Amino acid sequence: ETKKPTVLFSLSIGPRPRPVAKLSGPAETTSACAFTLNASMSEDPGYAPGTGPGFAYQWSCQAAPERSSLKTACASLTNFAAPNLANTDGSGAAGAAFTIGGDQLVEGAYNFSVRVWRVDESSDQAGIASYIVEVKAGAPPPITLNVPWVEDESVSTQMGWMLGRSSAIARGDENCPVPSTWAWSWTLVDASGTLLAFLPTTRMQRDVYLTTTTTTKDLVIDLDDSNETFESELVLLDDDLDVGSTTPAVWEPEFSHYEVIFSTMDFQGEL
């Protein structure tokens, strides 16, 4: 009887990777303003998109740096009160959103963290993300920025690159309205901070308190073969200024800088 060849191999199956927690929100605001942190963009690398079991969330707040008055403010947030703790609509500490009402936090820096895990697993398998919000006098109403790239992302110089649309949402309320005199523009600057171009910008008002969404058009870049870093930057201008010909003069929020690396030194063609 002829023996058939046999091949032996071993296969090790590792644990499913943890969820990747992703967190967005405003970088600064005043104590009078309510604001929301959002973890709904968290990802599950262990499943194909749309097939996972869903997430559970747990939020926490810490003073950054440690100060007794800030620790007290964190602990006294209504989100952590026993009747609200399990709420998932933003008013508690167990949903994808975490909404802090106005006049709850004293001035200072707060480090908010969210733990994200699959609903059919233990919280020991959670992914964690943190976000610092500074509460201070003179800050703007809460502004949340969204950009369609990862910080320090590289793009092709041979084929060009469509970066998609950047957006900024300024959320006002009765106690914290967005001033009607504010005008916004997205710009492109180089690594030295030199303004290269004002980008086409649209603004949409959504309610009486001037909650606004500001977006760019899809940005397509044609580049050469050098290496350079550029930033997309949201700037605030006087309503009377011509954003096509004037350097931003009123207020340039530090928290609005997002970097993307283009492998280039200068532009070929128009933005």
Side-chain angles (χ1 to χ4, degrees):
E1 182 179 351
T2 303
K3 293 184 177 181
K4 296 181 179 180
T6 302
V7 177
L8 299 177
F9 63 92
S10 60
L11 175 66
S12 297
I13 300 177
R16 199 182 297 274
R18 296 170 184 255
V20 178
K22 294 188 175 183
L23 183 51
S24 65
E28 61 181 19
T29 189
T30 66
S31 60
C33 295
F35 63 91
T36 298
L37 303 172
N38 194 332
S40 63
M41 298 303 292
S42 298
E43 298 177 351
D44 192 340
Y47 288 87
T51 65
F55 292 141
Y57 303 86
Q58 182 182 55
W59 292 85
S60 62
C61 171
Q62 291 182 317
E66 288 287 331
R67 282 172 46 191
S68 58
S69 61
L70 304 191
K71 291 174 65 176
T72 300
C74 273
S76 62
L77 288 175
T78 57
N79 306 70
F80 301 126
N84 302 328
L85 189 61
N87 292 350
T88 60
D89 60 358
S91 64
F98 187 79
T99 299
I100 297 91
D103 295 319
Q104 291 197 74
L105 297 176
V106 298
E107 291 185 12
Y110 297 86
N111 187 1
F112 295 93
S113 295
V114 62
R115 294 167 53 83
V116 181
W117 67 94
R118 300 180 186 95
V119 294
D120 60 355
E121 293 181 350
S122 165
S123 61
D124 293 339
Q125 302 303 312
I128 302 173
S130 297
Y131 195 90
I132 293 178
V133 178
E134 185 173 2
V135 177
K136 65 180 184 180
I143 301 172
T144 300
L145 305 179
N146 296 288
V147 292
W149 60 81
V150 177
E151 187 170 356
D152 292 336
E153 181 178 352
S154 297
V155 300
S156 168
T157 58
Q158 286 75 31
M159 303 200 48
W161 195 259
M162 178 176 289
L163 292 177
R165 300 184 180 188
S166 299
S167 68
I169 301 177
R171 299 188 185 277
D173 59 35
E174 184 176 6
N175 298 316
C176 187
V178 178
S180 60
T181 57
W182 284 9
W184 306 90
S185 181
W186 283 97
T187 65
L188 198 70
V189 300
D190 64 18
S192 69
T194 301
L195 190 150
L196 302 176
F198 283 91
L199 306 178
T201 301
T202 60
R203 169 174 159 165
M204 178 179 66
Q205 180 177 326
R206 295 205 305 216
D207 59 39
V208 68
Y209 302 118
L210 293 180
T211 296
T212 62
T213 300
T214 303
T215 62
T216 64
K217 293 183 179 180
D218 289 337
L219 179 59
V220 182
I221 307 295
D222 185 16
L223 308 166
D224 69 9
D225 295 327
S226 302
N227 289 309
E228 186 57 84
T229 299
F230 293 87
E231 297 176 352
S232 179
E233 184 173 274
L234 180 71
V235 296
L236 176 64
L237 305 138
D238 276 332
D239 262 342
D240 295 332
L241 294 180
D242 177 2
V243 298
S245 60
T246 307
T247 300
V250 180
W251 176 62
E252 198 170 311
E254 295 179 357
F255 60 82
S256 69
H257 294 194
Y258 280 77
E259 284 192 356
V260 57
I261 291 180
F262 303 143
S263 298
T264 182
M265 184 63 96
D266 58 330
F267 292 98
Q268 305 293 320
E270 296 182 351
L271 294 176

